[in-house]
Amino acid sequence: MFIGHLGVGLALKKAEPRLSLGWLFLAVMLPDVVLWLFVLAGVESVRIPADYATRHYLAFVFPYSHGLVAVIGWSVLAYLAGKMTHGVHAGGVLALGVFSHFVLDWLVHPPELPLAGEHTLMVGLGLWDRLPLALLLEAGLLAGGAWLYYRSTRGEGFGARYGLGIFLGLLAAFVIGGQLFAPPPPSVAQLAGSSLGFLALTFALAAWLDCRRRTPGV
Ligand SMILES: [Zn+2]
């Protein structure tokens, strides 16, 4: 899942307007950032299944980035980072953002999310097997989050008013189109590198577009 997580990040802006959308997006995507770094380091692995062209999703071994216990650990780290920089409430919001990643991934992944280590119980509802439904859920989460974000912030001028909406629309089209029609990635290392670059660009653009809007009373 990708844009669905961003929907949660957008919604959390309403809960903690002092946090930049760039940080909120980093929080909700943190397990994926850790995953791709761990894949490059050889600690976790991703497999491109032979039937990728029909299944449209990858297979993961990712206990340290996506296991339940690990995600709780990453949430605690996010809490501490938020608390140190913006106080207890912001810490709680960032932790909630990180933990939401596990819940949403649990909905879409097949049973490959471990509760603790690599050889513990694997969970996942497998909504990706009904891909149109999974993508509809993602798009709905993004739209709902964007609606909450736009309701709680204000911006004047074309860029501030529509910049983020245009960016999110393009991102949704790219991600949904990519999952439905893209050919299998050439290699796992290339996939990890390009995913990290894409995520960094998303965080930076979100932070930049977000600072053009303001929250009344903050
Ligand atoms: Zn994930």
Side-chain angles (χ1 to χ4, degrees):
M1 179 173 284
F2 182 39
I3 55 171
H5 294 303
L6 300 185
V8 176
L10 287 158
L12 288 176
K13 179 76 180 181
K14 188 173 162 60
E16 183 46 278
R18 292 173 307 150
L19 284 172
S20 160
L21 194 60
W23 291 118
L24 290 167
F25 276 6
L26 173 61
V28 296
M29 294 306 294
L30 188 63
D32 282 4
V33 173
V34 175
L35 162 73
W36 296 120
L37 290 172
F38 280 3
V39 165
L40 288 176
V43 178
E44 296 193 329
S45 63
V46 181
R47 193 169 48 80
I48 303 165
D51 58 352
Y52 180 85
T54 49
R55 281 170 73 191
H56 303 285
Y57 60 85
L58 303 159
F60 299 91
V61 179
F62 51 5
Y64 308 112
S65 62
H66 280 69
L68 177 61
V69 171
V71 173
I72 291 172
W74 298 119
S75 305
V76 170
L77 281 182
Y79 170 77
L80 294 174
K83 186 183 166 209
M84 278 195 304
T85 55
H86 293 81
V88 171
H89 185 260
V93 167
L94 284 177
L96 189 68
V98 176
F99 190 73
S100 74
H101 191 102
F102 180 86
V103 179
L104 294 184
D105 271 8
W106 168 72
L107 287 175
V108 294
H109 281 254
E112 62 182 357
L113 295 152
L115 290 186
E118 201 177 326
H119 303 293
T120 57
L121 182 70
M122 305 277 184
V123 295
L125 287 186
L127 203 60
W128 272 342
D129 285 329
R130 295 176 187 178
L131 198 55
L133 201 62
L135 293 175
L136 202 67
L137 170 73
E138 287 215 50
L141 283 166
L142 184 72
W147 181 74
L148 279 174
Y149 174 88
Y150 266 94
R151 267 181 49 126
S152 58
T153 58
R154 300 278 176 275
E156 268 129 51
F158 184 84
R161 274 195 190 156
Y162 305 112
L164 189 72
I166 293 169
F167 169 57
L168 294 174
L170 290 173
L171 200 62
F174 182 74
V175 169
I176 292 174
Q179 187 147 14
L180 285 175
F181 306 114
S187 81
V188 166
Q190 268 189 32
L191 178 67
S194 61
S195 298
L196 281 171
F198 190 68
L199 284 166
L201 192 68
T202 301
F203 302 152
L205 267 174
W208 182 62
L209 291 165
D210 181 52
C211 67
R212 301 166 77 99
R213 295 182 65 81
R214 60 187 170 74
T215 306
V218 175

